[in-house]
Amino acid sequence: MIARLKADYPVFYLCQKLGVSTSGYYEWEGRDHSPRAQRRSSLTARVLGKFAASCQASGYRKVTAALHRDGIAVNRKTVASIMAELGLIPLAAVAAFKTANQRSSRTADPVDLVDRVFAQTTPGAFLVGDITYVHTGEGWLYVATVIDLASRMVLGHASGKRQTAQLVIRALRRAIATGNVPPGAVFHSDHGSQYRARSFARFCGKRGILRSMGARMQCWDNAVAESFFSKLKNERLTWLSFPSRQTAIAEVADYIDHYNHHRPHQTLGYATPAETLTRLTSPDPEAAAIPAAA
């Protein structure tokens, strides 16, 4: 109406009489009022409605399909363009972007320095580690181990009610305390968050230990650590129940002592890990032939 009468009356007068703002009228006047623009405006409202009805979960393909079900002929490119203009992004896509962004900003994981070559001859030069869990009456108990590939001896282990970076640090600290981990040793693990933690990386770096990780979702890349946990559970823990974490901790420690000093290991020619470590570290062949004390 204002457009028709503005030739005869001032715009501000017409706006005042009709109860609209002058700035609002000029904004409206500047818009494209062609049939194409009106269809675009109508589609925009419908796209927004379908996106909201999906609880912000639908992408442009699903929004297009929803419009087709309502008998509205529109192609996917138009819907995608409208959604881009409105900034309508499905929540799943937002979450995926955040995850990808976090991964891209994260320090790259170490490369595989073991490459499934588990037969080593230098004690302490290549270590493998992993975490397992034990059910108790007080909840889960998590156990971290550090195993020497040359002797297959469990050099260090730690237990706790949470699987944190500090748990694996304690296990590795105990392994180093045995004096059987030389400078430049390689520590191999999976891609668990505990082994990717900055605190664990700093701990290894300060002690000259090189970190190594196998491929993701490939248990065979850490087969020796997995094999020990299988023996621990099948030979001891599966047959027992633990009312408390403390009883489980004691049982795990007892089995590790048995494994290191009394259990013949097929890979070692049926010697024990302790006997093998003595043989590999002793400069005297005759002394090396004497089994280690239990």
Side-chain angles (χ1 to χ4, degrees):
M1 181 179 292
I2 295 176
R4 292 199 308 268
L5 298 175
K6 68 178 183 179
D8 300 318
Y9 300 96
V11 171
F12 75 88
Y13 172 77
L14 294 172
C15 289
Q16 186 180 31
K17 291 297 182 180
L18 294 173
V20 298
S21 68
T22 305
S23 59
Y25 165 74
Y26 283 119
E27 181 184 355
W28 173 85
E29 188 179 43
R31 295 177 185 172
D32 183 358
H33 298 288
S34 66
R36 182 178 179 180
Q38 291 177 4
R39 171 175 164 74
R40 178 83 172 191
S41 177
S42 176
L43 275 175
T44 298
R46 290 179 180 274
V47 167
L48 183 58
K50 293 299 183 184
F51 182 75
S54 72
C55 297
Q56 304 178 49
S58 293
Y60 70 92
R61 291 182 178 87
K62 290 184 177 180
V63 170
T64 303
L67 292 173
H68 286 172
R69 285 195 295 271
D70 288 349
I72 301 172
V74 61
N75 62 52
R76 291 188 300 179
K77 290 183 178 180
T78 300
V79 174
S81 173
I82 291 173
M83 291 183 67
E85 288 177 3
L86 297 176
L88 305 180
I89 303 174
L91 294 177
V94 174
F97 173 79
K98 288 182 178 179
T99 300
N101 192 46
Q102 290 170 353
R103 288 177 178 173
S104 65
S105 63
R106 191 182 72 195
T107 303
D109 289 341
V111 299
D112 189 347
L113 300 176
V114 174
D115 198 24
R116 298 190 186 181
V117 180
F118 302 127
Q120 300 292 334
T121 57
T122 304
F126 287 87
L127 311 170
V128 295
D130 203 355
I131 302 174
T132 193
Y133 51 89
V134 183
H135 184 266
T136 77
E138 295 177 336
W140 293 111
L141 173 73
Y142 296 95
V143 181
T145 56
V146 177
I147 299 174
D148 169 30
L149 282 183
S151 66
R152 301 300 170 94
M153 189 167 186
V154 180
L155 294 180
H157 74 281
S159 303
K161 62 181 180 180
R162 290 187 297 273
Q163 48 178 339
T164 62
Q166 288 304 312
L167 181 70
V168 297
I169 287 174
R170 282 196 289 122
L172 185 52
R173 191 192 303 276
R174 290 173 180 174
I176 295 172
T178 66
N180 294 307
V181 179
V186 171
F187 179 84
H188 184 79
S189 70
D190 59 19
H191 288 258
S193 60
Q194 300 80 14
Y195 297 109
R196 298 199 320 268
R198 292 180 180 178
S199 57
F200 183 71
R202 286 195 298 269
F203 179 85
C204 291
K206 289 180 179 179
R207 288 155 183 81
I209 295 175
L210 304 177
R211 295 159 63 225
S212 166
M213 288 184 179
R216 291 180 179 275
M217 308 300 291
Q218 289 292 334
C219 63
W220 294 110
D221 287 351
N222 204 19
V224 172
E226 298 277 357
S227 177
F228 170 76
F229 285 145
S230 177
K231 294 179 178 67
L232 170 65
K233 292 183 177 181
N234 292 334
E235 297 179 7
R236 183 70 64 90
L237 302 185
T238 300
W239 315 104
L240 302 173
S241 60
F242 305 103
S244 66
R245 289 190 178 93
Q246 197 57 46
T247 55
I249 289 173
E251 199 64 46
V252 168
D254 183 74
Y255 179 82
I256 290 176
D257 181 72
H258 164 77
Y259 175 88
N260 282 340
H261 297 97
H262 302 287
R263 185 186 183 280
H265 203 295
Q266 184 177 0
T267 304
L268 304 175
Y270 295 99
T272 67
E275 290 170 345
T276 302
L277 183 62
T278 298
R279 175 177 61 80
L280 293 174
T281 56
S282 175
D284 185 351
E286 294 183 0
I290 303 175

